[in-house]
Amino acid sequence: QVQLVESGGGLVQAGGSLRLSCAASGLIFIIDDMGWYRQAPGKQRELVATITNGGTTNYADSVKGRFTISRDNAKNMVYLQMGSLKPEDTAVYYCNAVGRSTRYEKVRNYWGQGTQVTVSP
């Protein structure tokens, strides 16, 4: 199975920056898209940004121009550089990977355990 572990969350003042990291490990045959999602209290989980293994990115309108997603395919890592943070960015951020553990399995979504990001006014 693919395991995802996030790091880098924390408390930051509005206007500040944070960098999230996510490491994929375990049994990995292939990882296609990777991404970040977030869930604020009382709200549904929403897409923040995704990146294909070729480097094509996609962002939620609310973070365009402030967040940058990147990945290191050799290390099975994905990063989210967050800048100009706002209180409304406060949420648990989840790493996501789409891939397969073996060549015989179907493509699956894998999720990390989440990391808290809190932006104070």
Side-chain angles (χ1 to χ4, degrees), residues 1-4 30-37 45 47 50 95-101 105-112:
Q1 297 291 331
V2 177
Q3 286 103 38
L4 301 175
I30 189 170
I31 294 178
D32 296 318
D33 294 357
M34 299 188 80
W36 292 92
Y37 291 71
R45 190 173 298 189
L47 179 147
T50 62
C95 177
N96 171 262
V98 179
R100 287 185 280 170
S101 290
E105 291 190 358
K106 294 181 180 180
V107 173
R108 283 186 53 188
N109 266 300
Y110 297 93
W111 294 94

Side-chain angles (χ1 to χ4, degrees), residues 52-119:
T52 69
N53 56 12
T56 300
T57 58
N58 178 54
Y59 295 93
D61 288 343
S62 59
V63 307
K64 282 181 181 176
R66 301 188 298 121
F67 292 9
T68 301
I69 189 170
S70 61
R71 67 189 283 177
D72 184 332
N73 290 335
K75 297 180 179 180
N76 289 321
M77 297 281 296
V78 64
Y79 308 95
L80 186 68
Q81 181 66 48
M82 304 185 292
S84 301
L85 283 161
K86 305 174 181 180
E88 51 263 44
D89 294 317
T90 296
V92 177
Y93 284 69
Y94 295 92
C95 177
N96 171 262
V98 179
R100 287 185 280 170
S101 290
T102 72
R103 67 171 66 242
Y104 305 108
E105 291 190 358
K106 294 181 180 180
V107 173
R108 283 186 53 188
N109 266 300
Y110 297 93
W111 294 94
Q113 81 287 353
T115 186
Q116 177 71 45
V117 171
T118 302
V119 184

Side-chain angles (χ1 to χ4, degrees), residues 16-37:
S17 300
L18 277 176
R19 187 188 193 221
L20 304 183
S21 300
C22 173
S25 63
L27 187 61
I28 299 173
F29 174 67
I30 189 170
I31 294 178
D32 296 318
D33 294 357
M34 299 188 80
W36 292 92
Y37 291 71

